[in-house]
Amino acid sequence: MTESSKGQDRDAEDVGVRDIEVKDLPVWEQRFRAPRVSLPEWAEEAPDRSLFVSNATGTYELYAWDRATGEQRQVTDRPNGTTDGTLSPDGRWVWWFADTDGDEFGVWMRQPFDVADGAAGGADEPAVPGLAASYPAGLAIGRKGTVVVGRSTDEEGSTVHLLRAGGAEPVEIYRHRESAGVGDLSYDESLVAIEHTEHGDAMHSAIRVLRAADASVLAELDDTKGGTEELGLSVLGFAPVAGDTRLLVGHQRRGRWEPMLWDPATGAETDLRLDLPGDVEAEWYPDGSGLLIVHSFEARSELWRYEIATGALVRVDTPAGSVSSATARPDGSVEFLWSSAAEPPVVRSTNGSVVLDPPGPKAPPSVPVEDVWVQGPGGRVHALVQRPAKGEGPFPTVFEVHGGPTWHDSDAFASGPAAWVDHGYAVVRVNYRGSTGYGREWTDALKHRVGLIELEDITAVREWAVASGLADPEKLVLAGGSWGGYLTLLGLGTQPDAWAVGLAAVPVADYVTAYEDEMEALKALDRTLLGGSPEEVPERFAASSPLTYVDAVKAPVHISAGVNDPRCPIRQIDNYVDRLAARGAVHEVYRYDAGHGSLVVEERIKQVALDLDFAARHLGTRGTRPTEG
């Protein structure tokens, strides 16, 4: 990833030296160090200009790629990394979000795609002068230069600002206390689509389309009204061709996410009725003739093309596993980022090529996942299981709990679980109630008894794991990050005899204090999940807070936390740790100078090594000593 072909040659020589060094490292560490790339985004009016994320330097940063010349250059270079960025439609500018050490609070900057285009020689400049720092809430850049920026702050709530090409100051076109954000800007830049939750349910958005000329309301699409259930909507994008005002919308009217077409100018709705189980997302093909469908079902995903004129649905050939992102190119080909639990990620094209292959050693493969279905109190629970390559079990077993909570584990490559398998552990990942990909009822089941519901499903799978002979009941590890870290601490306190070790990364530990300190959008989510604020429903916050049960914790617990984390702030973690320390409970805490996780490869490796070592010391298993520094 260099400025010139000469630089690439030097890098290739350096990679050869690093390759020898990497091969001497443990396999689990090689997976983290192997260069990765994201699916490249391409400029709509200049499709040879692309932007992608890579960890080639040891930190995840943005890279510009000119496909016509093959030249690649690093755009951002910050100590804690950068992943939030996009291209202007004409391909002249790279936009990126500048926060401070992972706190997610900052401003949009921009830099010329080609340093020769910029008078300042590629220097960064404020992209929207006049807007103060905030949490980001969506961004849309028009072909003629109009920019729409969504912002969120504790003081203002949600705001949307519009800056016209050549304009001096951005103009506020929307404001509300509840969470909202930018959906898209129409092809001719006359319409702005906004997702909002003015009704107070942060899990189910409505859509409002404003006229850019005067911020007046053209149309509203709201599935949260008039029924016994609140249904969500999402903006998937305006039609990418002139004269077409249709908006591609995601809806939940039939119990799952699927797309439809809505014309805010006429009110006409076109129900696509795709005969596919599971959740369905979509984006436009560049000429507007079809939709690229991403179909997710039972922890796998696949691609389809939907022909708008005929209604034909044609499968796009992809291997079994997970497509984490995909895009249709102007020539009709589809590029996609694919992986499976056993095979590392690769950016492929339906034309048969590997689109972007980073230099350096490749990530070693891991073992495949097995599907397990267990009857739980709320229905059948899907879990993904990985077993060590050697041995019959029972194994020491890590229950790796996903975050979100509106997310799901899938048959996709993950270096963390693979590291545990390398060390002789079985790994179980549970798509508990609240997870996506299993229908709206499963996701929306997570209300009021927050945390306790998910743990019921994890318990059902844990009982199966022990009864089946997979898991050693004396060596069960509960682990996770973010919401998974929260469930870890809650599980250690409410099920103290079930777990031998707990590993919690960036967790919610003290729900009330977390609510007080977290970003405004997450406060809205917590009010939705728990049915009100801590003042309105104190009993629910208490019942769902790990701090309530901290004195019952028996298992040794390791906690890692980012000191700049706006999602699971450090003060509430300190409150929990102080309670552990007060009664002499076995625990260790690792604090690092970043936010909700780290984009630095060495830091990620250190945290995994700390967890492996902590578990080994307390279970008597094979561990890995972390590297100091």
Side-chain angles (χ1 to χ4, degrees), residues 93 96 108-112 120 122-128:
W93 295 96
W96 61 277
W108 286 99
M109 303 290 289
R110 70 176 190 173
Q111 179 185 133
D124 293 312
E125 64 182 36
V128 191

Side-chain angles (χ1 to χ4, degrees), residues 296-317:
S296 300
F297 182 57
E298 296 185 351
R300 275 89 180 172
S301 52
E302 59 184 4
L303 301 178
W304 299 78
R305 176 184 169 106
Y306 177 81
E307 298 287 350
I308 294 176
T310 65
L313 189 63
V314 180
R315 193 178 188 280
V316 177
D317 188 34

